[in-house]
Amino acid sequence: MDVIRTQNLTKIYGHRKIALNAVELRVPKGSIFGFLGPNGAGKTTAFRLMLGLQRPTAGRVEILGKRVGPNSSDVRRHVGYLPTNPEFPPDMTPITYLDFVGVLCGLSREARSPRLGSLVRAVGLLGAQSQRIGTFSTGMKTRLGIAASLMNDPSILLWDEPCSGLDPAGRRHTMDLITWLGRTKTIVVSSHILGDIDQVCTHVGVLSDGQLIFSGTMGEMKQRIHVDTLVVELSGGDGVLERFRAASRAIEGLDGLEREGSRFHLRPVPGASLGELVAAVAGSVREAGGDILSLSTGQGRMEDAYLQMLEQDGARGFLRACGDAEGGEANGCVRGTPAS
Amino acid sequence: MGAYVALLHRDLVTIARSWVARGWLVLSALAAAVAVLGQSTQGLPASQVAAQIQLTFLFLWSIFVIVIGASAVAPESGVLADSVLSRPVTRSQYILAKLTARSFAVLVVFVSVAGGSAYATWRYSKLPDVSFADVSLGVVHVLTALLFLVAVSVAMSSVMRTTFVAIVALVLAWYSVGALFEFLNVSFLSPFELRTSLPECLRGELDADLLWKIPLGFGIPTVAVWLATLAYFNYKDL
């Protein structure tokens, strides 16, 4: 079941800027959906349309089967939203603001007080509980935003750049929180930091210039890399490294290799068994008198898949425009095998 | 309903904490006190002094009314989407809470100062030519004009992104509206017309048709502005 669904979602600002173009998005229930895209790709616009903060120029958004509009407070009751660099009433404290959000969400005083207490503690704002929000740093505001989005215990979370302004520890904590919350909630999290998405998401959608160019599971995303590589780092001097280079010419299933210091990037022949290749490489290293310091596969690297998609999308611009009338695949969105 | 009450309460607290509202209350009360004290030395009739006090709300303190109304939505534009309207709140609840809170604040300041000063004027005047009913009618006339001004100010605040621009536009409009209504031959709708009608009203000498024309003349446009603001705010992108 898809909890969020968009149909032909398009947003054009003032006849000047196309922020989103015919986006067909499906977010399956219980997924942690990563919304990827460079700055200005349309991620925040998509969130705002999902919440009814803006009206689509064309198309529609449905959450839990209900169409979303400016007055869809019943839908927003099930959604927790964290904007990028959130703004809060500067004269309020975390406690008064979370209490205010609780009232807006229709929570009773008995439910609000313990909940806001545990949330303030959970996001590490206990020391700043009586401080005015106007004095908060960006990271503190983001943490307060996380708490506010969880105040009504929603079944869907829309988090726009949740790690924005956070220090490494806060970032780590937020990623862990997303994984933990993902056990019981559907989460849509946007980021342009690939590592974050790779780490926690089960599904991913890639936006480029307002177009959804991919939507599918993380596995499907990673499989879209056409050239797999094997990276091996060796110990030993130049002699060992050159002997390995010579020995590797005899390895079956190896299309070529490049040396980068003590590291070799090996390109397997398409379809070659990676296991056999690793075994052969290990033999060649032994033969060269060296040892393996590290071995990694370039297959499935999120960054490669992502950049490859953006490049392809840029290259296919005209074809996409021509295919717009046919929709779906031709429209630019490459869908993986159905995610659910 | 709960969200509306929460938004209303929040806005009333914001207004009560603002230096504009506090300053207005203190200044208008002081000015009224000076006028009441001055009447005893000059021997002015109570109706004239009470009218002067009430008219200052239209021609001097109206600046404060405009500032209170025009600062309802525009200064919150960032906070609005992130902190309020992304929660289970309808646009209608938000803008109605703003209109109600700002109108209520103006009503409280005006009625307390105008009502209190009218009583003091009557009590200490050598010529107490006013009655409770006439003073109440006068207060209603001026109040409807002020509530119209609040509604227009909140409407402008929801349309414009900059509070200062909204305030300047409203001040210019408010002080030039008399000429426009004169030109349209509906001068009874002009706040400036109250300069002549209010003392008559307080003395109980106002034409019978103006008794209802003035409040309706401001009341109906006020309702229309509320509805237009509601419709616009529901349509607006945040």
Side-chain angles (χ1 to χ4, degrees):
Chain A
M1 180 204 169
D2 296 325
V3 290
I4 301 175
R5 194 173 169 172
T6 70
Q7 289 174 11
N8 197 33
L9 190 64
T10 302
K11 180 67 184 174
I12 302 173
Y13 289 114
H15 302 289
R16 284 194 302 267
K17 181 177 170 20
I18 300 169
L20 280 184
N21 188 6
V23 169
E24 301 275 344
L25 185 72
R26 308 268 184 279
V27 178
K29 187 178 181 183
S31 64
I32 303 179
F33 191 97
F35 222 8
L36 262 179
N39 289 333
K43 303 186 293 290
T44 299
T45 300
F47 278 127
R48 287 178 161 251
L49 290 167
M50 284 177 202
L51 285 158
L53 296 174
Q54 295 185 344
R55 285 172 177 273
T57 309
R60 60 196 286 165
V61 179
E62 284 178 13
I63 291 185
L64 299 170
K66 289 180 185 167
R67 189 170 184 168
V68 179
N71 281 317
S72 302
S73 60
D74 53 335
V75 172
R76 286 194 288 268
R77 204 170 290 282
H78 302 282
V79 179
Y81 174 54
L82 169 69
T84 319
N85 299 329
E87 287 187 46
F88 300 106
D91 57 318
M92 290 179 121
T93 66
I95 291 179
T96 53
Y97 175 66
L98 290 177
D99 190 56
F100 175 62
V101 171
V103 176
L104 294 184
C105 294
L107 300 179
S108 66
R109 186 186 295 272
E110 288 71 30
R112 283 196 317 267
S113 302
R115 181 134 187 94
L116 73 87
S118 58
L119 284 170
V120 166
R121 182 185 292 273
V123 296
L125 288 175
L126 215 51
Q129 57 184 314
S130 54
Q131 205 175 312
R132 284 176 64 246
I133 299 173
T135 63
F136 276 21
S137 67
T138 310
M140 289 165 88
K141 283 182 185 170
T142 301
R143 283 188 275 154
L144 178 60
I146 288 172
S149 74
L150 295 168
M151 192 64 200
N152 55 335
D153 194 19
S155 60
I156 301 167
L157 291 173
L158 301 179
W159 284 8
D160 195 0
E161 310 268 3
C163 293
S164 171
L166 295 182
D167 57 22
R171 189 185 200 86
R172 175 78 253 169
H173 178 71
T174 304
M175 288 294 116
D176 291 344
L177 184 63
I178 292 172
T179 309
W180 185 75
L181 290 168
R183 293 177 195 162
T184 52
K185 299 176 192 301
T186 304
I187 306 176
V188 182
V189 53
S190 87
S191 182
H192 56 265
I193 299 166
L194 301 158
D196 294 350
I197 299 286
D198 197 10
Q199 203 180 329
V200 297
C201 293
T202 58
H203 292 70
V204 66
V206 180
L207 269 178
S208 172
D209 288 334
Q211 293 259 348
L212 189 68
I213 58 173
F214 176 84
S215 181
T217 64
M218 286 297 291
E220 288 161 355
M221 168 87 174
K222 290 175 180 176
Q223 279 167 14
R224 289 189 50 78
I225 301 180
H226 297 308
V227 183
D228 300 332
T229 56
L230 193 66
V231 183
V232 58
E233 189 177 4
L234 304 181
S235 66
D238 240 20
V240 171
L241 299 174
E242 282 311 310
R243 278 201 296 281
F244 170 72
R245 184 200 284 274
S248 65
R249 288 192 186 117
I251 297 174
E252 265 185 52
L254 188 63
D255 198 26
L257 87 168
E258 284 164 26
R259 186 182 157 188
E260 191 186 294
S262 60
R263 199 175 287 174
F264 287 89
H265 293 261
L266 312 176
R267 278 196 311 278
V269 171
S273 159
L274 209 57
E276 286 174 17
L277 185 63
V278 169
V281 166
S284 298
V285 172
R286 250 196 328 270
E287 213 174 280
D291 202 0
I292 295 175
L293 285 178
S294 69
L295 181 71
S296 64
T297 169
Q299 185 176 33
R301 276 185 61 214
M302 182 76 173
E303 195 173 322
D304 293 339
Y306 172 67
L307 293 173
Q308 195 175 7
M309 266 174 203
L310 292 186
E311 271 172 32
Q312 285 172 353
D313 184 58
R316 63 150 54 136
F318 184 70
L319 287 174
R320 186 178 59 205
C322 292
D324 261 357
E326 291 162 33
E329 194 89 2
N331 192 17
C333 177
V334 180
R335 194 167 293 285
T337 48
S340 62
Chain B
M1 194 63 186
Y4 167 76
V5 173
L7 291 164
L8 180 67
H9 176 254
R10 159 89 191 125
D11 205 39
L12 285 172
V13 169
T14 305
I15 298 167
R17 283 182 182 163
S18 84
W19 288 108
V20 173
R22 290 176 184 180
W24 178 35
L25 181 61
V26 171
L27 285 176
S28 58
L30 276 176
V34 169
V36 172
L37 290 173
Q39 76 166 354
S40 56
T41 54
Q42 293 169 0
L44 296 171
S47 61
Q48 193 179 330
V49 177
Q52 272 173 3
I53 292 168
Q54 291 187 30
L55 287 170
T56 54
F57 279 86
L58 285 176
F59 304 113
L60 181 63
W61 308 131
S62 52
I63 303 277
F64 287 89
V65 176
I66 286 171
V67 172
I68 287 172
S71 58
V73 182
E76 286 189 354
S77 57
V79 173
L80 187 59
D82 289 2
S83 310
V84 182
L85 291 178
S86 55
R87 313 292 170 205
V89 176
T90 64
R91 303 268 183 107
S92 309
Q93 284 171 332
Y94 175 82
I95 201 70
L96 279 176
K98 285 286 176 186
L99 284 162
T100 317
R102 305 282 153 160
S103 301
F104 183 72
V106 169
L107 181 145
V108 166
V109 174
F110 173 68
V111 171
S112 53
V113 174
S117 61
Y119 172 76
T121 309
W122 168 79
R123 177 76 179 74
Y124 298 108
S125 175
K126 288 169 187 163
L127 295 166
D129 58 345
V130 291
S131 68
F132 178 76
D134 293 332
V135 167
S136 302
L137 203 58
V139 166
V140 168
H141 282 191
V142 178
L143 185 61
T144 52
L146 291 175
L147 293 181
F148 171 69
L149 184 59
V150 176
V152 176
S153 304
V154 174
M156 287 287 271
S157 181
S158 69
V159 173
M160 295 192 165
R161 288 184 181 276
T162 319
T163 310
F164 180 74
V165 176
I167 290 171
V168 171
L170 283 161
V171 169
L172 290 175
W174 183 245
Y175 287 107
S176 57
V177 78
L180 176 71
F181 286 157
E182 191 76 39
F183 176 75
L184 295 173
N185 209 20
V186 283
S187 55
F188 67 93
L189 288 177
S190 165
F192 291 87
E193 197 62 19
L194 284 168
R195 273 185 308 188
T196 49
S197 67
L198 190 61
E200 289 173 13
C201 176
L202 293 177
R203 287 196 299 272
E205 296 168 358
L206 191 65
D207 286 350
D209 59 338
L210 281 178
L211 285 178
W212 60 267
K213 262 189 179 178
I214 291 172
L216 278 184
F218 287 112
I220 291 169
T222 303
V223 173
V225 172
W226 274 49
L227 293 175
T229 309
L230 209 60
Y232 171 77
F233 200 71
N234 272 294
Y235 183 78
K236 181 183 179 173
D237 270 353
L238 298 173

